[in-house]
Amino acid sequence: ALANLKTYSRRFIAVTLAVMIGTAFLAATLMVNASATESLKASIGSSYANADLVVTGDYMADMDADDSERPETYSLDAKTLKAIEDIDAVAAVHGVTNSGVSVNAGGRDYYASANTAATNTKLNTTTLTSGSLPTGGDQVAVDDTYAGEYNISVGDVLEVGSTTAEGKEVSRQVKVSGITAASNDPITGAAMNLTVGQSLLEALSGPGDASYGSITLAAKDGVDLQGLKAPLATALEATGLKYFHVNTP
């Protein structure tokens, strides 16, 4: 064996190097993939990272059960939000909307995602970089990425519009009250982010039409989160909701 090793030493060295390089490449690939996966999870979950529990409707389960003509079985709305808020162990709730709206700035139209900032400091993930958050229905805050790209500044007047579920076109003139840090979420970060007040959101959505992609909640101190899931599910089912998930972030 040693004689063969001496005879074919170059071949042996080449094979050894190939194995070492292949192993190193595989290890590096796995490390990069793990890092990218964790970064993506953190980015997507940035809008509810500080919440104790997150409620989402399960549209696919609704489709599988052939309940697609009954959106109340999976859609989160004001009634759902109120039901969660009324649970004694819940300290605060926030409905995450990301409603699609149009924005006219400088004579040009853009697509934007509108959402409200949570009033509870634990649930709030909106970071202000200048100005102030909206305090009325005639104000908005714009994320700094798109504010810079579209040359929007504090004090500018924008026209924000949408179409309600009934097909009614709604338009409001609003003043930019502040600039916020851009979202890390790759879904919402793909468009301009507007932070709006609840009254403006309701005006753009139409009476009773506000719906939420998810609802985040903060529990009162000392509350067992696993134990809270049961009364939470009972309260949600009492509103007519059938297909939903209650998860920790």
Side-chain angles (χ1 to χ4, degrees):
L2 290 175
N4 288 335
L5 188 59
K6 291 180 179 179
T7 303
Y8 302 108
S9 59
R10 291 183 178 179
R11 182 182 299 175
F12 175 76
I13 292 172
V15 170
T16 302
L17 285 174
V19 171
M20 291 175 64
I21 292 171
T23 302
F25 178 77
L26 178 60
T29 301
L30 292 174
M31 290 174 64
V32 170
N33 182 62
S35 176
T37 300
E38 290 305 312
S39 297
L40 183 60
K41 286 180 179 178
S43 297
I44 292 176
S46 61
S47 60
Y48 45 76
N50 298 327
D52 289 322
L53 293 174
V54 181
V55 178
T56 54
D58 193 339
Y59 173 73
M60 294 307 298
D62 171 83
M63 291 291 290
D64 292 341
D66 199 28
D67 268 349
S68 56
E69 298 302 317
R70 300 178 58 210
E72 68 273 12
T73 60
Y74 66 87
S75 182
L76 309 178
D77 54 19
K79 183 171 60 175
T80 316
L81 195 72
K82 184 67 166 59
I84 298 173
E85 193 174 29
D86 286 344
I87 298 174
D88 185 60
V90 173
V93 297
H94 176 61
V96 182
T97 53
N98 298 321
S99 301
V101 298
S102 64
V103 176
N104 185 282
R108 300 184 63 180
D109 291 322
Y110 306 102
Y111 174 80
S113 176
N115 203 349
T116 58
T119 55
N120 179 271
T121 54
K122 181 177 181 179
L123 298 180
N124 182 36
T125 57
T126 303
T127 303
L128 195 67
T129 61
S130 65
S132 59
L133 290 175
T135 56
D138 58 349
Q139 295 178 330
V140 298
V142 183
D143 75 274
D144 55 9
T145 297
Y146 287 91
E149 184 174 342
Y150 300 148
N151 197 29
I152 298 173
S153 304
V154 172
D156 286 355
V157 175
L158 311 177
E159 187 169 335
V160 180
S162 69
T163 303
T164 67
E166 289 78 20
K168 180 183 177 182
E169 293 188 358
V170 180
S171 181
R172 293 286 188 276
Q173 278 199 341
V174 295
K175 181 177 288 188
V176 177
S177 64
I179 306 297
T180 61
S183 171
N184 291 324
D185 192 322
I187 299 175
T188 59
M192 181 193 299
N193 280 280
L194 293 184
T195 303
V196 303
Q198 186 64 33
S199 61
L200 179 57
L201 180 67
E202 292 174 357
L204 294 171
S205 302
D209 289 338
S211 61
Y212 307 105
S214 62
I215 294 176
T216 60
L217 66 92
K220 291 182 179 178
D221 292 341
V223 171
D224 175 51
L225 297 182
Q226 292 301 320
L228 177 56
K229 289 183 178 181
L232 189 55
T234 300
L236 293 173
E237 289 167 355
T239 68
L241 207 65
K242 292 173 61 177
Y243 309 106
F244 59 88
H245 296 288
V246 179
N247 297 313
T248 52

